């Protein structure tokens, strides 16, 4: 592949200093003032293709630090019921879809996603869906993927002969979920490739894939098939850990059999320690408002005496650990496990934290891998279920001030795989024109962008990977042009991306000429 020279580019926050950026052999070879012969790094031994980016802003390519990539690829084809404000509203959306298009054939279900039922005025029951769907199997996935709601025919499709309500939560849902969340390899690979192209159009160069699957096998298959969509760090779950360890894979090792493209590498061990807010299963010190009984504080899925040796094993084998923790008690226990095991890695979500545990994140060097758009999705239910506690929910500013490493992600399909959506939520705590929610926990655009580029310098350090996004606007200039937080949120969500490069190769190219 020939070297590529991007001329007349601007760095983020430096509009008056145009630069030429030379990309060679998959790396940034030089970044020098425009019209000056590039120097530094490796000198090119062959002519470079020249692309004038016409004053656009060039930033390191964006990463989504938390995705379920195959599920996101599938959800893009499914019925969106995330706008539903009641069970009746969700059922009406199902009815409208069935009125507009023929129902699925061969006994396959109509699958939807995105409902959040915790504050609905009515209950999601099989009977509600039966009224609009009849004998058509319907299965709706909750926005957080921790539950599903099925019609009677949908329950039968899932292999469940009887159920008191039709709402399957946590351990009721997980064993049945493969009937919905898995497809054939060829179909899955095609959908994932399409989702990668869509992500590239938003400046994405890499994702961490927490798909609940044998990711080593899946991604080796895709590498063997010529995968070139974006960079992927493929996580491993406990049930597949033996295979990764038997292969001798450590964090960051390229996957492939034999080893192929370094676009796909081994990622962390993933463990889900508690549930979620919307299912009232995130594990908390205080009970949920109005909740009684043994699960009033949520659910701990993995006990500490199991988690610590599991993390020890992964750490000893050279793997990082990514521990899902949403409730404040689950976060405290996850930090206990990091301290006891000596493992390195991240807490995924970190939605509700005590002040002492924010300090522990920093002291232990544990990354807070957060999904800011969840705050916009959950602000109302959080106020209802965590009354008096939301000042410490999604505490991004507090984490950053304490020196905690931050990475932003989506948890797609829970939120869209679009880093600009996450950045807008982190910076403004606002969506749909609403007043910012706990604005004291906002971070600035630079901090949010730095948390979205996999630790790369916004100044495009020579020697770094040639993974770049070419933007039609400078995101660091947007706050000055948008005083109103709602306007700024809209502007950040809509940042136009003119081009994306991975290892110096265009994965999205919408530049004129």
């Amino acid at each position: 592949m020939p070297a590529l020279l991007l001329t007349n580019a601007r760095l983020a926050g430096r509009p008056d200093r145009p630069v030429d950026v030379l990309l060679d052999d998959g790396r940034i070879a030089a970044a020098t003032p425009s019209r000056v012969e590039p120097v530094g790094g490796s000198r090119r031994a062959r002519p470079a293709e020249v692309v004038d980016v016409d004053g656009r802003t060039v930033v390191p390519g964006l990463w989504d630090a938390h995705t379920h990539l195959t599920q996101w690829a599938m959800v893009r084809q499914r019925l969106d019921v995330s706008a539903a404000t009641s069970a009746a509203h969700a059922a009406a959306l199902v009815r409208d879809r069935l009125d507009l298009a023929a129902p699925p054939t061969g006994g396959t279900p109509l699958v939807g996603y995105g409902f959040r039922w915790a504050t609905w005025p009515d209950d999601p029951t099989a009977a509600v869906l039966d009224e609009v769907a009849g004998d058509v199997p319907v299965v709706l996935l909750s926005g957080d993927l921790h539950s599903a709601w099925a019609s009677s025919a949908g329950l039968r499709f899932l292999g469940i002969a009887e159920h008191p309500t039709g709402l399957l939560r946590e351990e009721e849902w997980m064993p049945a979920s493969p009937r919905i969340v898995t497809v054939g390899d060829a179909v899955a690979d095609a959908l994932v490739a399409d989702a990668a192209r869509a992500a590239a159009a938003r400046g994405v160069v890499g994702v961490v894939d927490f798909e609940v699957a044998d990711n080593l096998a899946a991604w080796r298959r895709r590498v063997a098939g010529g995968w070139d969509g974006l960079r992927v760090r493929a996580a491993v779950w406990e049930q597949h850990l033996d295979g990764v360890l038997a292969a001798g894979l450590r964090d960051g090792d390229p996957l492939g059999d034999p080893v192929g493209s370094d676009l796909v590498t081994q990622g962390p061990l993933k463990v889900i320690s508690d549930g979620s807010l919307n299912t009232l299963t995130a594990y908390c010190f205080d009970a949920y408002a109005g909740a009684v009984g043994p699960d009033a504080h949520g659910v701990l899925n993995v006990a500490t005496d199991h988690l610590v040796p599991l993390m020890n094993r992964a750490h000893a084998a050279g793997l990082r650990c990514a521990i899902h923790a949403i409730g404040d008690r689950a976060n405290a226990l996850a930090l206990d496990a990091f301290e006891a095991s000596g493992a390195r890695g991240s807490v995924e979500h970190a939605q509700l934290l005590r002040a002492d545990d924010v300090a522990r994140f920093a002291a232990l060097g544990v990354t807070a891998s957060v999904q800011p758009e969840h705050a916009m999705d959950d602000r109302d239910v959080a106020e209802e279920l965590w009354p008096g506690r939301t000042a410490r929910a999604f505490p991004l500013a507090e984490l950053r001030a304490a020196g905690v490493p931050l990475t932003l992600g989506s948890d797609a399909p829970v939120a869209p795989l679009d880093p600009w959506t996450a950045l807008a939520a982190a910076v403004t705590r606002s969506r749909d024109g609403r007043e910012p929610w706990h604005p004291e926990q906002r971070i600035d655009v630079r901090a949010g962008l730095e948390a979205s580029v996999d630790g790369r310098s916004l100044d495009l350090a020579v020697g770094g990977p040639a993974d770049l996004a070419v933007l039609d606007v400078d995101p660091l200039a947007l706050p000055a042009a948008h005083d109103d937080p709602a306007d700024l949120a809209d502007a950040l969500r809509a940042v136009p991306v003119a081009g994306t490069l991975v290892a110096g190769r265009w994965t999205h190219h919408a530049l004129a000429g």
Side-chain angles (χ1 to χ4, degrees):
M1 183 173 64
L4 175 64
L5 183 65
L6 305 178
T7 62
N8 195 23
R10 263 67 172 177
L11 302 179
R14 299 187 176 186
D16 299 326
R17 297 180 59 185
V19 296
D20 295 341
V21 182
L22 177 64
L23 311 178
D24 197 3
D25 198 25
R27 295 281 165 181
I28 299 173
T32 59
S34 290
R35 294 177 296 279
V36 174
E37 178 66 20
V39 295
S42 61
R43 298 186 63 83
R44 67 183 187 272
R46 55 188 182 274
E49 175 189 356
V50 178
V51 175
D52 184 354
V53 300
D54 196 24
R56 291 178 173 87
T57 299
V58 177
V59 298
L62 288 94
W63 276 72
D64 189 317
H66 191 126
T67 71
H68 304 267
L69 195 54
T70 303
Q71 292 310 303
W72 168 242
M74 294 169 64
V75 156
R76 295 175 72 238
Q77 318 296 318
R78 291 176 167 174
L79 173 63
D80 184 355
V81 295
S82 61
T85 57
S86 66
H89 186 184
L93 295 173
V94 170
R95 182 193 60 226
D96 292 345
R97 167 60 70 87
L98 292 173
D99 287 345
L100 286 172
T105 59
T108 58
L110 171 64
V111 181
Y113 75 96
F115 77 93
R116 290 177 167 82
W117 57 273
T119 60
W120 282 357
D122 51 355
D123 293 328
T125 65
V128 172
L129 293 176
D130 291 347
E131 288 183 9
V132 299
D135 292 332
V136 176
V138 176
V139 181
L140 305 181
L141 310 182
S142 66
D144 56 22
L145 301 183
H146 283 251
S147 60
W149 171 24
S151 68
S152 296
L155 289 169
R156 290 192 294 272
F157 174 84
L158 294 171
I160 299 172
E162 294 184 3
H163 192 273
T165 66
L167 181 65
L168 308 173
R169 297 173 60 194
E170 296 293 343
E171 294 307 316
E172 292 180 312
W173 164 235
M174 297 304 176
S177 64
R179 294 295 306 275
I180 296 297
V181 302
T182 57
V183 295
D185 290 347
V187 172
D189 293 352
L191 291 174
V192 167
D194 183 62
R197 287 188 289 270
R202 299 303 296 141
V204 176
V205 299
V207 301
V208 181
D209 185 15
F210 289 117
E211 188 67 30
V212 185
D214 183 353
N215 288 317
L216 176 57
W219 281 105
R220 277 183 164 172
R221 182 184 70 246
R222 290 167 187 159
V223 169
W227 174 262
D228 63 359
L230 39 69
R231 296 189 188 274
V232 177
R233 294 187 187 124
V236 58
W237 294 79
E238 180 180 5
Q239 60 268 37
H240 300 294
L241 182 59
D242 286 347
V244 167
L245 299 188
L249 291 167
R250 301 171 65 87
D251 186 75
D253 284 349
L255 302 190
D257 192 10
V259 172
S261 167
D262 65 357
L263 291 183
V264 182
T265 58
Q266 181 59 53
L269 168 72
K270 175 68 184 296
V271 182
I272 296 181
S273 75
D274 72 339
S276 68
L277 168 60
N278 280 274
T279 55
L280 286 74
T281 52
Y283 195 48
C284 301
F285 285 105
D286 301 303
Y288 287 83
V292 295
D295 294 336
H297 293 253
V299 175
L300 185 66
N301 292 327
V302 180
T304 304
D305 60 2
H306 180 82
L307 182 59
V308 171
L310 178 59
M311 293 172 66
N312 264 323
R313 186 178 179 216
H315 177 57
L319 297 177
R320 292 171 65 84
C321 296
I323 310 302
H324 163 122
I326 289 180
D328 52 2
R329 192 169 186 182
N331 274 278
L333 292 172
L335 292 172
D336 289 346
F338 272 106
E339 186 170 11
S341 67
R344 310 298 296 171
S346 62
V347 169
E348 301 294 321
H349 308 305
Q351 288 186 8
L352 186 67
L353 300 175
R354 301 179 305 179
D356 288 350
D357 287 326
V358 171
R360 292 178 68 206
F361 265 93
L364 293 169
V366 174
T367 296
S369 175
V370 297
Q371 299 75 43
E373 184 69 352
H374 291 1
M376 301 298 91
D377 291 332
D378 292 345
R379 60 185 291 179
D380 295 324
V381 69
E383 292 291 355
E384 182 167 332
L385 298 180
W386 289 342
R389 289 174 262 175
T390 57
R392 51 190 180 89
F394 303 91
L396 305 192
E398 191 174 348
L399 286 163
R400 180 167 172 81
V404 178
L406 278 180
T407 59
L408 304 190
S410 65
D411 200 11
V414 180
L417 201 172
D418 185 342
W420 301 106
T421 296
L423 182 62
V427 169
T428 69
R429 309 274 291 205
S430 174
R431 189 178 71 190
D432 301 326
R434 297 182 68 178
E435 288 297 311
W437 185 54
H438 287 291
E440 72 277 6
Q441 294 294 353
R442 293 179 292 193
I443 59 177
D444 62 33
V445 176
R446 178 176 287 277
L449 191 57
E450 288 173 344
S452 304
V453 295
D454 199 42
R456 306 300 176 192
S457 169
L458 298 186
D459 291 333
L460 306 186
V462 170
D467 301 345
L468 304 174
V470 182
L471 312 176
D472 285 340
V473 299
D474 181 350
L476 299 189
L478 290 175
H482 300 276
D483 292 334
D484 181 73
D487 290 343
L488 178 58
D490 290 344
L492 286 168
R493 290 171 188 273
V495 165
V497 178
T500 306
L501 298 117
V502 173
R505 174 181 50 82
W506 294 104
T507 55
H508 169 65
H509 195 334
L511 291 158

